[in-house]
Amino acid sequence: MKHSDDYSIDTKCQILNRDLSDKWGAISFPIYQSATFAHNGLGGSTGYDYTRMQNPTRQQLESVVAKLENGIDALAYSSGMAAVANVMELFKPGDHIIIDEDLYGGSIRLFYEINKKNGLEFTAINLSSEDVLEHIRSNTKAVYLETPTNPMMNVTDIEKLAAVAHGKGLLVIVDNTFLSPYFQNPLDLGADIVIHSGTKFLGGHHDTIGGFVVVKDEKIDERLRLIYKTIGAGLAPFDSWLILRGIRTLSVRMDRAQENAIKLAEYLKKNRHVTRVIYPGLPEHPGYEIMKKQARGFGAMLTFEVDDSSFAKEILNNVELIYFAESLGGTETLITYPITQTHAEVPKALLEKNGITDRILRLSVGIEGIEDLIAEFDRVFEKAEKAVSGN
């Protein structure tokens, strides 16, 4: 059998789950639902002592995610936010971090409500268009970004940014949730740390919550492992197994969802109430060429703007096939209202600067039949138009 590195990522999603040491020949990796592990004698260990530190099911998942992201190690956390919070523990009071101004609202809340009070300093800029050099200080330690961003889909050239940041001795931290390792591998482009909300595309079924940090440097990994076992935010065995199961279908889900997203983006562009469709797979998107260079696809996330807030609200009130819900990355299509949901606690000035208004809607496109999704929008748009016009 070939070495796993010699296979395509589609095949890796299948074979990396194998446990060749299992004497029973189980196809599905076992769930080791145990909090603690017995020693075979004084000074002896099976390699597992206590699940807060490590567990066989979680270790298997971490190995799979590390290989999919081409890292030396991955750490699995109880949520994506736990993963981000643990990465922030790499820094000390007085350290300065440059962040993208368009980030998931939970990350912004963590930075300004928790990390800032603990002495970290932040500067938010548009990393897709502004020169990061102008914002680097003597105490700057890292640059933190999403690409594409949530929800305005800005695209940053990771390789270019990493070259600049590394020239100043800074770490580059990339949240790769929107594209997953199936479409993008930031470590290969120069990033030092990759973060995922495993709740999203990696899990893929809206049935569990998890997060990941993937690294390529042994010293960073050693420090994160210490933080990991000390804070105790490791992913539980059953949730680890659910995400292992989800990864088996990552490639087919991502391909189908992206196919639907491209068709929906083209469809939405033709509606007279839609003033803007923001999807990096559209040639007119300013990040289109960068995406073609640094990613293998454009993903299943898109944002669109309608001409009136009342119209946006009528859409949300009338969806049936599509779920009005937070989160993303599952098999079902979800529509989200960032201004009251994912970004409700983002400062108003920053919302306005980023163009996140009460007319902005975000779609996580699922794997339903595209004809059914389009029919759903036809029906919803017709009802919204009648409601807004009073007819």
Side-chain angles (χ1 to χ4, degrees):
M1 184 175 176
K2 293 181 182 179
H3 189 277
S4 62
D5 291 343
D6 297 328
Y7 287 101
S8 68
I9 191 167
D10 307 72
T11 303
K12 285 180 182 178
C13 288
Q14 306 305 315
I15 66 168
L16 292 178
N17 273 301
R18 292 185 178 184
D19 179 13
L20 298 178
S21 66
D22 179 47
K23 66 179 181 179
W24 308 111
I27 299 298
S28 176
F29 194 89
I31 305 169
Y32 288 86
Q33 195 66 45
S34 180
T36 191
F37 300 86
H39 301 297
N40 53 21
L42 185 62
S45 173
T46 62
Y48 302 97
D49 301 312
Y50 193 59
T51 283
R52 174 164 51 80
M53 294 183 283
Q54 194 50 285
N55 175 283
T57 313
R58 187 167 72 224
Q59 187 174 49
Q60 175 72 4
L61 173 61
E62 290 175 340
S63 174
V64 169
V65 173
K67 288 173 182 174
L68 291 179
E69 278 289 14
N70 301 323
I72 64 163
D73 193 16
L75 297 88
Y77 295 90
S78 57
S79 69
M81 288 312 305
V84 179
N86 273 243
V87 168
M88 290 298 109
E89 292 299 324
L90 291 171
F91 307 104
K92 63 182 186 301
D95 285 349
H96 173 244
I97 301 170
I98 298 170
I99 62 173
D100 199 293
E101 62 187 13
D102 185 37
L103 295 174
Y104 166 56
S107 298
I108 294 173
R109 181 176 61 238
L110 173 73
F111 298 154
Y112 287 104
E113 296 296 329
I114 306 298
N115 300 137
K116 192 173 180 181
K117 79 172 176 60
N118 292 336
L120 297 187
E121 301 172 11
F122 296 91
T123 296
I125 66 171
N126 186 333
L127 286 167
S128 69
S129 60
E130 294 185 55
D131 185 358
V132 71
L133 279 172
E134 296 180 3
H135 302 275
I136 295 175
R137 308 173 188 170
S138 60
N139 61 334
T140 305
K141 302 298 180 183
V143 182
Y144 183 102
L145 66 148
E146 300 168 357
T147 180
T149 61
N150 183 2
M152 301 308 288
M153 309 302 290
N154 298 325
V155 174
T156 297
D157 188 323
I158 299 172
E159 194 169 26
K160 183 179 177 181
L161 176 64
V164 173
H166 290 161
K168 295 295 183 178
L170 311 183
L171 292 176
V172 176
I173 305 165
V174 179
D175 183 329
N176 196 32
T177 298
F178 266 23
L179 290 184
S180 88
Y182 182 68
F183 281 139
Q184 183 170 264
N185 297 120
L187 295 180
D188 293 347
L189 300 165
D192 301 286
I193 298 172
V194 170
I195 294 174
H196 285 278
S197 172
T199 313
K200 312 307 192 294
F201 291 105
L202 287 170
H205 293 81
H206 299 311
D207 56 9
T208 190
I209 290 177
F212 296 93
V213 175
V214 191
V215 297
K216 62 182 181 181
D217 180 87
E218 290 183 0
K219 289 185 177 179
I220 294 174
D221 183 43
E222 184 179 340
R223 181 62 184 165
L224 282 170
R225 280 283 169 194
L226 176 65
I227 295 167
Y228 181 79
K229 72 178 183 180
T230 302
I231 292 178
L235 190 62
F238 183 66
D239 299 287
S240 297
W241 180 82
L242 284 171
I243 297 179
L244 273 172
R245 184 179 66 167
I247 289 173
R248 286 185 180 272
T249 59
L250 178 65
S251 61
V252 291
R253 287 187 288 103
M254 295 302 293
D255 282 339
R256 176 60 178 269
Q258 176 181 246
E259 179 185 334
N260 281 351
I262 291 170
K263 291 176 180 176
L264 270 182
E266 293 292 349
Y267 162 83
L268 289 168
K269 283 169 58 178
K270 298 172 184 175
N271 187 278
R272 67 187 185 90
H273 291 285
V274 176
T275 56
R276 185 167 44 143
V277 177
I278 313 170
Y279 178 65
L282 294 174
E284 61 266 30
H285 189 286
Y288 179 75
E289 293 299 328
I290 296 173
M291 288 287 289
K292 287 204 301 182
K293 179 186 74 167
Q294 72 183 18
R296 293 178 291 273
F298 302 102
M301 300 299 300
L302 69 87
T303 294
F304 66 101
E305 180 183 62
V306 294
D307 55 9
D308 186 88
S309 62
S310 297
F311 196 87
K313 292 168 185 174
E314 287 300 324
I315 292 173
L316 298 171
N317 287 334
N318 286 288
V319 289
E320 293 175 359
L321 174 65
I322 296 169
Y323 292 89
F324 173 25
E326 291 192 52
S327 199
L328 58 103
T331 56
E332 308 92 348
T333 298
L334 304 184
I335 191 165
T336 300
Y337 201 37
I339 201 162
T340 65
Q341 292 181 299
T342 56
H343 291 67
E345 296 177 52
V346 175
K348 185 178 179 180
L350 188 56
L351 288 173
E352 291 176 352
K353 184 179 180 184
N354 292 341
I356 303 173
T357 69
D358 55 7
R359 295 180 290 115
I360 289 287
L361 298 160
R362 191 194 73 185
L363 277 178
S364 171
V365 183
I367 65 172
E368 302 94 339
I370 186 60
E371 67 281 358
D372 296 318
L373 290 174
I374 288 175
E376 167 87 336
F377 272 111
D378 282 342
R379 179 188 62 79
V380 170
F381 281 142
E382 183 179 352
K383 290 196 75 170
E385 187 170 315
K386 287 180 179 179
V388 171
S389 65
N391 294 328

